[in-house]
């Protein structure tokens, strides 16, 4: 299915008559709760507010609004390392995953994604770093979170831009999460880092003058709400509510609140990421 046909298919779902409208699975409706698991180290998508210790972020706000529209469901939140997000879905500890997780072809063997946010890997350095553009990072140590798609994207970018120009390849350095990667950068253990374009504006706001973005995002992708492949009814009803949120402005209000209006999508998309 092409991306265009995916968009048309989802638009048709949103335009369904009330008799055709998707419904919540009976077990979720009867329980009145939605079990959601997040990795709370990925601000501004989901994190613990240092002042209140409350779970906050763009994904948290979107999930809360979805829960209201799904009949006022109560969300039961749990937290886990990023690498455990997919297992938590597969073992049914989570009904779906909305936690800054990228739609990737390799993840679609057992799950489907409803893509709701544009993203892309982006290089950044300490503000006093001499690098003027991304090509200056060839041969340098570049860190990123090991469990994301970014290590592969860094390698691909290096092969396309460093080696053909006779420059040494980028040296990838793994990190546990975005906080660990930024700490490695501040400690001088790496020369540059890569994070999703949705996280860097927040990091720069929290530590003014400390980081400098180098170049534009060097790949395009989407973050998606992740569902088990056999949970078609749940996937469809969440898509229906998200489509309505985009139409009535609630989705835009959440993205604008977190400074990510430019990362919006026009419609939810099914498994639309290219990689």
């Amino acid at each position: 299915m092409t991306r265009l046909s995916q968009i048309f298919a989802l638009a048709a779902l949103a335009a369904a008559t009330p008799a055709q409208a998707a419904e919540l699975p009976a077990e979720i409706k009867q329980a009145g709760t939605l079990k959601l698991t997040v990795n709370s180290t990925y601000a501004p998508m989901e994190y613990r507010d240092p002042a209140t210790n409350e779970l906050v972020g763009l994904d948290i706000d979107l999930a809360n609004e979805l829960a209201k529209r799904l009949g006022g469901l109560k969300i039961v939140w749990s937290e886990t390392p990023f690498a455990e997000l997919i297992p938590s879905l597969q073992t049914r500890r989570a009904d779906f995953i909305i936690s800054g997780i990228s739609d990737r072809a390799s993840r679609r063997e057992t799950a489907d994604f409803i893509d709701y946010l544009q993203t892309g890997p982006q290089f950044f350095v300490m503000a006093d770093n001499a690098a003027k553009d991304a090509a200056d990072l060839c041969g340098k140590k570049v860190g990123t979170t090991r469990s994301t798609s970014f290590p592969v994207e860094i390698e691909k970018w290096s092969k396309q831009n460093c080696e053909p120009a006779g420059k040494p390849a980028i040296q990838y350095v793994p990190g546990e999460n975005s906080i660990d990667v930024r700490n490695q950068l501040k400690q001088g253990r790496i020369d540059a880092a890569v994070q999703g374009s949705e996280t860097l504006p927040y990091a720069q706001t929290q530590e003014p003058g400390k980081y400098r973005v180098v170049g534009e995002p060097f790949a395009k992708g989407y973050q998606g709400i992740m569902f088990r492949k056999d949970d078609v009814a749940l996937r469809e009803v969440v898509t229906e509510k998200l489509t309505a949120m985009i139409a009535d402005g609630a989705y835009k209000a959440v993205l604008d609140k977190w400074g990510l209006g430019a990362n919006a999508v026009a419609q939810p998309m099914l498994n639309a990421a290219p990689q």
Side-chain angles (χ1 to χ4, degrees), residues 39 41-42 124 142-147 172-190 192-195 207 211:
N39 171 236
T41 64
Y42 202 54
F124 67 105
V142 177
T144 197
T145 307
R146 69 173 80 236
S147 54
Y172 157 61
V173 179
E176 291 305 312
N177 52 48
S178 57
I179 296 173
D180 176 38
V181 171
R182 288 197 299 273
N183 283 338
Q184 289 191 52
L185 186 62
K186 288 185 281 191
Q187 293 162 6
R189 292 156 59 192
I190 55 178
V194 167
Q195 283 186 208
E207 299 182 273
Y211 308 113

Side-chain angles (χ1 to χ4, degrees), residues 150-163:
F150 299 157
V152 173
E153 296 292 353
I154 291 170
E155 181 183 15
K156 185 186 301 182
W157 187 91
S158 179
K159 286 182 177 179
Q160 292 174 345
N161 295 275
C162 298
E163 292 138 78

Side-chain angles (χ1 to χ4, degrees), residues 18-247:
Q20 297 171 310
E23 292 189 2
L24 271 175
E27 61 271 22
I28 293 178
K29 185 184 294 186
Q30 290 169 3
T33 58
L34 199 58
K35 296 177 295 183
L36 299 183
T37 300
V38 294
N39 171 236
S40 57
T41 64
Y42 202 54
M45 304 306 292
E46 43 274 317
Y47 65 103
R48 288 280 174 183
D49 185 330
T52 65
N53 202 39
E54 289 184 15
L55 195 59
V56 297
L58 185 150
D59 285 335
I60 307 304
D61 287 349
L62 286 180
N64 285 332
E65 182 63 25
L66 284 168
K68 288 180 187 176
R69 296 179 185 226
L70 291 168
L73 295 177
K74 176 185 177 182
I75 298 179
V76 178
W77 295 102
S78 58
E79 298 174 59
T80 192
F82 187 88
E84 291 299 314
L85 286 175
I86 294 175
S88 74
L89 180 67
Q90 295 169 334
T91 58
R92 297 187 177 272
R93 286 174 284 161
D95 293 313
F96 60 76
I97 300 293
I98 179 168
S99 183
I101 190 163
S102 295
D103 174 4
R104 292 167 60 184
S106 61
R107 291 172 175 161
R108 296 182 204 143
E109 295 178 3
T110 58
D112 285 321
F113 287 84
I114 296 300
D115 298 331
Y116 66 98
L117 193 77
Q118 295 185 59
T119 183
Q122 195 160 18
F123 293 113
F124 67 105
V125 297
M126 299 301 292
D128 59 358
N129 189 291
K132 295 181 180 179
D133 56 43
D136 291 333
L137 301 178
C138 293
K140 304 297 185 182
K141 294 179 180 179
V142 177
T144 197
T145 307
R146 69 173 80 236
S147 54
T148 68
S149 61
F150 299 157
V152 173
E153 296 292 353
I154 291 170
E155 181 183 15
K156 185 186 301 182
W157 187 91
S158 179
K159 286 182 177 179
Q160 292 174 345
N161 295 275
C162 298
E163 292 138 78
K167 299 179 180 180
I170 284 177
Q171 302 174 51
Y172 157 61
V173 179
E176 291 305 312
N177 52 48
S178 57
I179 296 173
D180 176 38
V181 171
R182 288 197 299 273
N183 283 338
Q184 289 191 52
L185 186 62
K186 288 185 281 191
Q187 293 162 6
R189 292 156 59 192
I190 55 178
D191 303 299
V194 167
Q195 283 186 208
S197 59
E198 72 279 0
T199 68
L200 292 176
Y202 178 84
Q204 290 175 303
T205 299
Q206 293 300 298
E207 299 182 273
K210 190 170 289 290
Y211 308 113
R212 179 167 54 82
V213 170
V214 178
E216 297 296 320
F218 55 89
K220 182 178 180 179
Y222 297 102
Q223 288 187 2
I225 306 175
M226 191 177 188
F227 299 86
R228 291 180 291 272
K229 279 196 174 291
D230 59 356
D231 278 349
V232 176
L234 180 59
R235 188 195 74 206
E236 289 187 354
V237 72
V238 170
T239 301
E240 183 181 272
K241 301 305 181 186
L242 181 58
T243 301
M245 287 170 58
I246 292 174

